[in-house]
């Protein structure tokens, strides 16, 4: 005969494992709906001209004589509202335009756009 002794052991060891959502985030790479070329052709070209020659009617300055570095700086300022800080110039009109363009999906990488514009203007 065996007396069954049922020992109920409640093991109240709650192991809370904080498993951090293991998305090993490297640098966040932003993806854009359109390429810089597509954005330029669909939007910028209207005011800036196919060769960056500008448009007096739209008060758009000539930008074809800028270097890639200058273009990148100006585009960066225009996108980030940093006029007067880094380039020392004011682009209030263009900053406003840029916000509207980004809202419409005309977003792009500043470096890629600067390179594209430079190459397009110097074909
Ligand atoms: C509706 C017309 C219009 C469109 C569209 C437009 N721009 Fe402009 N842009 C201007 C005007 C006007 C200026 C000059 C006034 C100012 O800088 O605020 C300017 C200035 C700039 C400047 C500064 C130029 C300088 O001399 O320093 C850059 C860079 C620029 N635009 C880039 C772009 C890019 C990139 C796009 C397309 C994504 C674009 N623009 C689309 C009208 C436009």
């Amino acid at each position: 005969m065996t007396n069954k002794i049922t020992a109920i052991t409640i093991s109240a060891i709650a192991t809370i494992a904080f498993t951090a959502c293991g998305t090993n985030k490297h640098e966040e790479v932003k993806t854009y709906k359109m390429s810089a070329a597509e954005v330029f052709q669909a939007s910028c070209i209207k005011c800036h001209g196919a060769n960056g020659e500008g448009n007096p009617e739209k008060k758009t300055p000539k930008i074809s004589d800028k270097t890639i570095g200058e273009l990148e700086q100006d585009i960066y300022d225009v996108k980030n509202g940093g006029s007067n800080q880094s380039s020392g110039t004011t682009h209030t009109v263009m900053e406003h335009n840029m916000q509207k363009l980004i809202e419409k999906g005309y977003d792009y990488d500043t470096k890629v756009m600067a390179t594209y514009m430079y190459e397009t203007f110097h074909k």
Side-chain angles (χ1 to χ4, degrees), residues 87-107:
S87 68
T89 48
T90 37
H91 298 299
T92 40
V93 175
M94 191 57 224
E95 276 173 27
H96 176 79
N97 289 348
M98 204 54 239
Q99 288 315 309
K100 292 269 169 271
L101 292 174
I102 289 173
E103 279 166 26
K104 285 191 203 161
Y106 293 135
D107 201 1

Side-chain angles (χ1 to χ4, degrees), residues 7-8 22 25 29-30 32 34 43 47 49 59-60 62-63 66-67 72 78 82 88 91 101 105 107 112 119-120:
I8 302 167
K25 268 192 195 152
V29 180
K30 199 171 174 201
Y32 299 95
M34 302 167 94
S43 142
C47 298
K59 297 195 176 69
T60 316
K62 176 180 168 196
I63 52 171
K66 291 181 186 286
T67 63
E72 195 186 336
V78 160
H91 298 299
L101 292 174
D107 201 1
V112 177
E119 283 170 359
T120 305

Side-chain angles (χ1 to χ4, degrees), residues 14-67:
T15 312
I16 302 164
F18 287 101
T19 0
C21 304
T23 36
N24 201 355
K25 268 192 195 152
H26 294 291
E27 210 177 300
E28 211 167 299
V29 180
K30 199 171 174 201
T31 48
Y32 299 95
K33 272 189 267 175
M34 302 167 94
S35 69
E38 284 168 338
V39 171
F40 183 82
Q41 297 297 331
S43 142
C44 323
I45 200 168
K46 274 187 277 186
C47 298
H48 288 276
N51 301 304
E53 68 273 22
N55 182 342
E57 254 173 58
K58 295 186 192 283
K59 297 195 176 69
T60 316
K62 176 180 168 196
I63 52 171
S64 54
D65 51 0
K66 291 181 186 286
T67 63

Side-chain angles (χ1 to χ4, degrees), residues 77-91:
D77 283 349
V78 160
K79 277 190 84 170
N80 298 283
S83 290
N84 266 338
Q85 284 170 25
S86 34
S87 68
T89 48
T90 37
H91 298 299

